[in-house]
Amino acid sequence: MNTTSIIPDLPTASHNPCQKVTRWCFCFPGEAQVQTEDGTRKKMKEVALGDKVLTLNSHGRPSFSKVIEYLYYDPHSTSEYLKVESEDGHCVSISPNHLIFTGQPGGKKKAVFAATLKPGDCIIAVSNTHTQHCKVKQVTSGTQDGIYNVLTRTGTLVVDGILASNYACYKSHKLSHAACAPLRVASALTKKHTGKTPKEEGIHGYAQFLSKVGKAITPGYMT
């Protein structure tokens, strides 16, 4: 990852002429990792429908949530990501307009745009046994390969050891989760092939629809 100052001007072309360069997606790079229920770590580019990935449950305890849909799947593009590093060594790569959770020990967690993080803010590290609040040390920016995002039943997941939302662009995680209820219902009513990644690349049609609606009518939308 080539790092520069936070949210710099982006390149107009990739070093690989076959790759597209996307400005602000709402995803994670292909090399970002999640932890599955059997204890193995998977890169985002390897996560498949039906995988159960580490997150927090409604009681704030580590648990595993099923991946029910791909919101974005593009292995051939390069995009802009922030590299958020904590004082204790955690590091997560995330797009600037993606929601990431912050909070203080004993307090409520809050979803904020990754682009708003600054040194001293507390992000939430999660293992399969406990959670830990970590102070941000620095935030840098650069391009990485791949654009990936999944939808879990809880609407959250732990990426590179840090708790993040499935959602982006709109500042309310709660309302974004409610807006994706039709996808959760559809998943419960239909049988999709588990253990597979999408055949079609790009943004999910429903997510694209929500993005267009958000840009048109919703205050607090970050493109």
Side-chain angles (χ1 to χ4, degrees):
M1 178 178 182
N2 298 320
T3 59
T4 60
S5 60
I6 183 170
I7 316 181
D9 292 333
L10 301 181
T12 57
S14 170
H15 293 297
N16 182 347
C18 296
Q19 287 184 313
K20 298 175 291 180
V21 176
T22 302
R23 185 161 180 171
W24 286 18
C25 62
F26 40 88
C27 305
F28 305 95
E31 294 298 313
Q33 293 188 359
V34 299
Q35 181 179 329
T36 60
E37 193 174 33
D38 63 5
T40 61
R41 294 188 179 277
K42 273 191 173 184
K43 296 178 180 179
M44 284 296 296
K45 62 185 179 182
E46 300 169 341
V47 174
L49 295 177
D51 284 346
K52 290 185 177 181
V53 296
L54 183 63
T55 185
L56 291 184
N57 61 23
S58 59
H59 301 290
R61 300 189 184 95
S63 63
F64 292 87
S65 185
K66 186 177 181 181
V67 173
I68 59 175
E69 192 58 87
Y70 251 97
L71 296 177
Y72 212 127
Y73 181 81
D74 187 348
H76 298 117
S77 291
T78 296
S79 189
E80 180 72 10
Y81 293 100
L82 299 182
K83 183 178 180 181
V84 182
E85 299 178 68
S86 70
E87 292 180 353
D88 61 352
H90 286 89
C91 181
V92 59
S93 294
I94 187 170
S95 58
N97 56 354
H98 203 101
L99 294 175
I100 187 170
F101 289 98
T102 62
Q104 297 293 332
K108 291 184 177 181
K109 64 181 185 292
K110 178 182 179 182
V112 302
F113 291 128
T116 68
L117 289 175
K118 59 186 183 300
D121 288 345
C122 282
I123 52 179
I124 303 172
V126 182
S127 71
N128 57 2
T129 58
H130 68 281
T131 63
Q132 177 185 350
H133 291 76
C134 309
K135 285 189 177 182
V136 173
K137 179 181 179 181
Q138 66 176 358
V139 182
T140 54
S141 180
T143 56
Q144 293 192 59
D145 294 336
I147 304 174
Y148 301 87
N149 193 22
V150 298
L151 179 67
T152 62
R153 291 207 174 278
T154 59
T156 58
L157 76 168
V158 174
V159 179
D160 293 332
I162 300 297
L163 182 65
S165 172
N166 291 169
Y167 312 118
C169 297
Y170 186 59
K171 62 184 179 181
S172 172
H173 167 81
K174 186 176 181 180
L175 290 180
S176 298
H177 191 57
C180 284
L183 290 180
R184 294 191 295 278
V185 172
S187 172
L189 296 177
T190 60
K191 292 183 178 180
K192 287 202 169 188
H193 296 293
T194 59
K196 296 184 179 296
T197 54
K199 292 182 179 180
E200 296 184 3
E201 297 178 8
I203 186 172
H204 189 282
Y206 185 71
Q208 192 170 32
F209 165 74
L210 290 180
S211 179
K212 290 180 179 179
V213 171
K215 289 177 183 178
I217 66 172
T218 310
Y221 195 89
M222 182 180 182
T223 57

